[in-house]
C-alpha cells in the first residue's frame, strides 16, 4: 500500500473520473488504473463498482475512504513537519469555505498575510455549502474549514460575530417595519439560503415552534437577494454575507425581532494532527480577526 495508491483512491472518490485524476496528479490514465487495481489486490476487496456506467464506490470503499484520507493527512503532516524543521516552508494547504462571509470577508486578509509569511505553500480553497464544508472536514478532504459556531464535532477558533437579518421585497408591507418577527416571515413564501446559515435558521424557526413555507433553496446569497427583489419570497441571511458593493432595487433589509446573532470560525478535527501550515493559518486568522 503506497501513498500514490491512496491518493488515487481518494481523488477517484472526489472527482469521479480516471482522466480527471490523471490530470490532477500529472500521470497517465493507465497509471491511475494500475494504482487502483494494485490497492484493491493488496487489500483483497473491490473499492469501485465496475458494473455501472459512472464511477461508484463499493460499500467497503465508502467505509475505507475516511481511513485512506486520514493516512494521507498524516503523511502530509510528516512531510510538512520535516519541511518546517528544515526551514523550507513548502507544501500545500486545503481550506473549506462557504458563502460570502468566509470567502469575501474572512479569507482575503488572512490569505494576504499567510502568503507574505509562507510564499511557497500552495493554498487550495474548496467552496461549497455549510454541509459540504462540515463533511470535508470530517473526511479530512480539507485541512480545516470555516463553519458556523458552535460545533462540538470539531476544535474551533471563533473569528467573527454578526447578526441575522430579514430580506423582504421593497414594495411589500414588511418593508415598512423597523424590525421583523419570525412569525411574520412565516406568512410569506420563504427562500432558504444554504450559504452559511441554513442550520441556524432552521433551528431558530424550530425553537420558536414555527414552520416556514419554503418555496426554494439557494446556494448563493446573490441569488437569494435577486429572488426576494423580484417578490418571489422572503429570506433570512447573515448580515456579513450581504455584498456591500451590490445595490439591488426592490430589496429591503431589516433586523429580526428579537435579534439573533451568528458566529463563524475555523474548525478542524484534531490540532495535534494538524500540519504546521494549518496551525500557522489558524494563528494568522486569529491575528487578522481579533474579536
Amino acid at each position: 500500500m503506497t501513498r500514490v495508491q491512496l491518493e488515487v483512491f481518494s481523488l477517484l472518490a472526489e472527482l469521479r473520473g480516471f482522466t480527471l485524476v490523471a490530470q490532477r496528479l500529472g500521470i497517465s490514465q493507465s497509471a491511475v488504473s494500475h494504482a487502483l487495481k494494485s490497492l484493491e489486490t493488496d487489500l483483497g476487496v473491490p473499492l469501485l463498482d465496475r458494473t455501472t456506467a459512472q464511477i461508484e464506490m463499493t460499500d467497503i470503499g465508502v467505509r475505507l475512504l475516511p481511513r485512506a484520507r486520514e493516512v494521507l493527512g498524516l503523511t502530509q503532516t510528516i512531510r510538512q513537519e520535516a519541511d518546517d524543521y528544515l526551514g523550507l516552508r513548502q507544501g500545500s494547504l486545503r481550506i473549506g469555505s462557504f458563502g460570502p462571509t468566509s470567502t469575501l470577508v474572512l479569507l482575503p486578509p488572512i490569505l494576504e498575510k499567510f502568503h507574505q509569511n509562507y510564499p511557497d505553500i500552495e493554498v487550495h480553497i474548496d467552496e461549497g455549502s455549510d454541509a459540504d464544508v462540515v463533511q470535508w472536514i470530517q473526511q479530512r478532504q480539507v485541512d480545516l474549514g470555516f463553519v458556523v459556531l458552535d460545533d462540538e464535532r470539531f476544535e474551533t477558533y471563533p473569528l467573527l460575530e454578526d447578526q441575522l437579518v430579514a430580506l423582504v421585497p421593497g414594495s411589500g408591507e414588511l418593508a415598512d417595519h423597523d424590525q421583523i418577527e419570525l412569525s411574520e416571515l412565516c406568512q410569506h413564501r420563504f427562500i432558504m439560503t444554504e450559504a452559511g446559515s441554513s442550520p441556524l435558521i432552521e433551528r431558530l424557526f424550530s425553537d420558536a415552534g414555527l414552520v416556514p413555507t419554503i418555496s426554494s433553496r439557494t446556494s448563493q446569497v446573490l441569488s437569494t437577494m435577486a429572488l426576494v427583489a423580484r417578490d418571489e419570497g422572503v429570506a433570512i441571511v447573515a448580515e456579513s454575507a450581504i455584498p456591500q458593493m451590490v445595490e439591488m432595487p426592490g430589496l429591503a433589509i431589516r433586523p429580526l425581532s428579537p435579534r439573533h446573532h451568528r458566529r463563524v470560525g475555523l474548525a478542524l478535527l484534531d490540532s495535534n494532527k494538524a500540519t504546521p501550515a494549518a496551525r500557522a493559518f489558524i494563528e494568522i486568522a486569529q491575528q487578522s480577526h481579533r474579536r
Side-chain angles (χ1 to χ4, degrees):
M1 186 187 310
T2 67
R3 187 182 190 283
V4 172
Q5 291 172 347
L6 294 177
E7 193 167 15
V8 164
F9 172 42
S10 177
L11 285 174
L12 280 171
E14 175 186 350
L15 301 177
R16 303 286 175 164
F18 283 81
T19 301
L20 293 174
V21 172
Q23 292 173 346
R24 173 74 67 87
L25 296 177
I27 60 178
S28 66
Q29 186 170 330
S30 62
V32 172
S33 299
H34 178 72
L36 178 69
K37 184 62 178 177
S38 297
L39 180 59
E40 290 179 321
T41 300
D42 189 16
L43 295 175
V45 294
L47 301 174
L48 294 185
D49 185 353
R50 291 170 173 78
T51 63
T52 60
Q54 296 181 333
I55 290 181
E56 298 290 344
M57 309 292 293
T58 61
D59 290 342
I60 186 61
V62 172
R63 290 177 57 186
L64 293 179
L65 181 60
R67 301 297 186 190
R69 285 176 171 160
E70 183 174 0
V71 172
L72 287 171
L74 291 175
T75 58
Q76 178 70 5
T77 300
I78 293 171
R79 170 57 60 190
Q80 289 202 357
E81 289 279 9
D83 288 344
D84 189 58
Y85 176 79
L86 294 172
L88 298 178
R89 305 287 184 177
Q90 295 177 343
S92 63
L93 180 66
R94 189 170 291 272
I95 310 293
S97 179
F98 67 84
T101 297
S102 56
T103 302
L104 300 181
V105 177
L106 292 175
L107 264 175
I110 302 174
L111 285 177
E112 181 180 8
K113 185 68 176 295
F114 187 83
H115 287 313
Q116 288 175 356
N117 292 353
Y118 308 99
D120 295 324
I121 294 180
E122 185 177 2
V123 180
H124 301 269
I125 308 297
D126 293 338
E127 296 183 89
S129 67
D130 322 24
D132 288 334
V133 176
V134 167
Q135 184 178 21
W136 294 339
I137 298 172
Q138 290 175 321
Q139 296 184 351
R140 297 186 184 273
Q141 193 169 328
V142 297
D143 296 292
L144 65 166
F146 291 94
V147 300
V148 176
L149 305 177
D150 294 317
D151 196 321
E152 297 180 353
R153 293 169 292 187
F154 308 120
E155 291 186 30
T156 58
Y157 303 84
L159 299 176
L160 173 146
E161 182 173 304
D162 62 0
Q163 67 172 335
L164 298 177
V165 295
L167 302 183
V168 300
S171 59
E173 58 178 309
L174 291 179
D176 296 330
H177 297 195
D178 293 331
Q179 302 180 75
I180 297 177
E181 298 181 3
L182 293 178
S183 59
E184 294 177 298
L185 296 177
C186 288
Q187 299 171 22
H188 302 264
R189 291 175 298 177
F190 193 83
I191 301 165
M192 179 65 75
T193 176
E194 296 183 348
S197 303
S198 57
L200 178 57
I201 294 169
E202 291 169 350
R203 189 161 60 249
L204 289 181
F205 281 111
S206 176
D207 290 346
L210 299 171
V211 180
T213 304
I214 298 176
S215 60
S216 57
R217 294 179 181 268
T218 59
S219 59
Q220 301 292 332
V221 171
L222 282 176
S223 301
T224 306
M225 295 169 63
L227 287 172
V228 175
R230 293 201 301 267
D231 202 12
E232 295 292 331
V234 298
I236 294 176
V237 300
E239 193 169 35
S240 64
I242 301 173
Q244 298 301 311
M245 71 292 294
V246 176
E247 293 185 8
M248 195 165 293
L251 177 71
I253 303 171
R254 299 290 183 268
L256 294 175
S257 176
R259 301 292 178 101
H260 294 282
H261 293 87
R262 180 191 72 153
R263 293 195 305 149
V264 177
L266 283 169
L268 75 169
L269 280 176
D270 185 352
S271 60
N272 293 322
K273 296 180 180 179
T275 65
R279 291 197 293 269
F281 189 89
I282 292 172
E283 182 177 352
I284 290 173
Q286 292 178 308
Q287 295 171 355
S288 301
H289 299 281
R290 293 191 183 278
R291 300 181 60 254

